[in-house]
Amino acid sequence: MVEDEYGQAGYVEREIRRHTGRHTGGHTVPEIDDVAEEVPVALVYNGISHAVMMATPLDLEAFAIGFSLTEGIVDSVAEIRDIEIEPGCDGIEVRIEIGQRAFMALRAHRRTLAGRTGCGVCGTESLALLDLEPTPVGVPARRIEPTPAMLRRATDALQARQVLMAATGGVHAAAWCDAQGDVVAVFEDVGRHNALDKLIGHLTRTRTTFGDGFVLLSSRASYELVRKTARMRIQMLATISAPTSLAIRIAAQAGLRLLSFCRKDGFVEYTAPAENEGFVLRSEPLAVPG
């Protein structure tokens, strides 16, 4: 059983009945199954509840740091003064104390959200809140050049280090890989966004230089994952599954290299550095409903 510093295991045992042998009459076997935990995690900043995320209750301090950074609540980890984790009957409260500048900016942002009248994401006002202007990654000091062998090494190592996935079959993973494709750190969660935030939080705590590696995700590439990665000025994001069209657009705008379908036989490159001759990316403007 894998536990974090707070004694959380990340999964629970449940009694099940396994039914097999559909073509031979079938039989039923009682067993104990390991099921990934999913609990409400409330993120509370300076006493004000900001968000409730459904997450696996592992590595919550790293999660709080990563979420605060990738969502732009703080500009640096130095603005996080304290983190307290308080388990409850119905979930977990993560209390985060941040500096006055960051807190005032957060309060102003919350007032902006409260003043909007758009319904869901069907109107112009709501679309304006989606934060579709990514942080430019910039030119890294050392450009990582992906190869099939590098990505194969990384994906093989990621699969071997997905301990919670092996136990439950129901979580995503985010890995930090060096320029050679060696996996340095892996974090897992029922939510792919949460796994990435936990990874970012850990890398920040260990003072890892973001320009020296890339992120590998066991999931598809959605625009939120691209935006979070770009905000940390990480030069490359690789995913096991497919990207969305908006993820490709955001990656191109940010100058982030996006690789997907990273498998044993190769990968697909959707965005690349501008100096790569011959690479053409069509990026259509986002259509706003009239």
Side-chain angles (χ1 to χ4, degrees):
M1 179 177 293
V2 178
E3 294 185 351
D4 71 354
E5 62 265 39
Y6 298 98
Q8 297 286 347
Y11 65 85
V12 294
E13 294 182 343
R14 290 290 183 264
E15 294 181 358
I16 64 167
R17 292 183 179 182
R18 190 175 303 278
H19 300 267
T20 59
R22 181 167 61 91
H23 299 292
T24 60
H27 62 279
T28 302
V29 179
E31 293 182 1
I32 300 296
D33 194 26
D34 296 327
V35 180
E37 282 192 278
E38 183 178 28
V39 303
V41 176
L43 298 168
V44 180
Y45 289 90
N46 293 20
I48 297 178
S49 182
H50 176 71
V52 177
M53 309 294 291
M54 300 306 297
T56 300
L58 286 172
D59 308 299
L60 292 182
E61 186 170 325
F63 175 52
I65 295 172
F67 181 91
S68 301
L69 289 166
T70 64
E71 292 299 316
I73 295 171
V74 298
D75 292 334
S76 72
V77 71
E79 292 187 285
I80 300 177
R81 306 292 173 77
D82 190 32
I83 298 174
E84 294 183 358
I85 298 174
E86 188 65 34
C89 296
D90 299 321
I92 300 174
E93 190 172 277
V94 181
R95 301 167 184 168
I96 308 157
E97 291 294 323
I98 58 178
Q100 186 68 11
R101 184 215 63 82
F103 183 58
M104 295 302 293
L106 179 61
R107 288 185 62 183
H109 181 61
R110 287 172 59 86
R111 284 196 296 270
T112 301
L113 294 178
R116 298 286 182 172
T117 58
C119 55
V121 292
C122 63
T124 303
E125 291 109 342
S126 295
L127 286 170
L129 301 178
L130 287 178
D131 191 10
L132 298 178
E133 296 300 324
T135 303
V137 171
V139 179
R142 176 187 181 189
R143 181 83 69 188
I144 297 175
E145 293 300 332
T147 66
M150 173 212 296
L151 270 299
R152 183 169 58 250
R153 183 184 308 116
T155 55
D156 287 347
L158 174 61
Q159 183 176 8
R161 292 181 61 170
Q162 288 182 254
V163 179
L164 192 55
M165 180 65 174
T168 68
V171 296
H172 288 293
W176 180 250
C177 308
D178 65 19
Q180 290 72 46
D182 293 321
V183 172
V184 178
V186 176
F187 286 81
E188 297 178 277
D189 196 280
V190 290
R192 58 188 185 273
H193 310 87
N194 302 337
L196 178 58
D197 282 335
K198 290 177 179 181
L199 176 67
I200 295 298
H202 167 77
L203 297 175
T204 303
R205 287 197 300 182
T206 56
R207 301 179 183 274
T208 300
T209 302
F210 289 122
D212 293 340
F214 65 95
V215 169
L216 172 64
L217 298 173
S218 66
S219 66
R220 66 183 175 91
S222 62
Y223 97 90
E224 302 100 326
L225 296 170
V226 169
R227 182 176 56 79
K228 285 175 178 286
T229 305
R231 191 184 291 277
M232 305 312 299
R233 292 182 169 80
I234 296 169
Q235 63 176 291
M236 192 167 80
L237 173 64
T239 67
I240 300 296
S241 192
T244 65
S245 61
L246 188 53
I248 297 171
R249 174 191 151 180
I250 296 298
Q253 290 178 344
L256 182 145
R257 198 166 202 158
L258 178 61
L259 316 177
S260 293
F261 294 109
C262 297
R263 311 286 170 82
K264 292 182 180 298
D265 57 347
F267 59 91
V268 178
E269 188 167 15
Y270 286 89
T271 64
E275 65 267 22
N276 281 20
E277 296 183 3
F279 192 96
V280 178
L281 175 69
R282 293 184 58 192
S283 181
E284 302 297 337
L286 180 67
V288 178

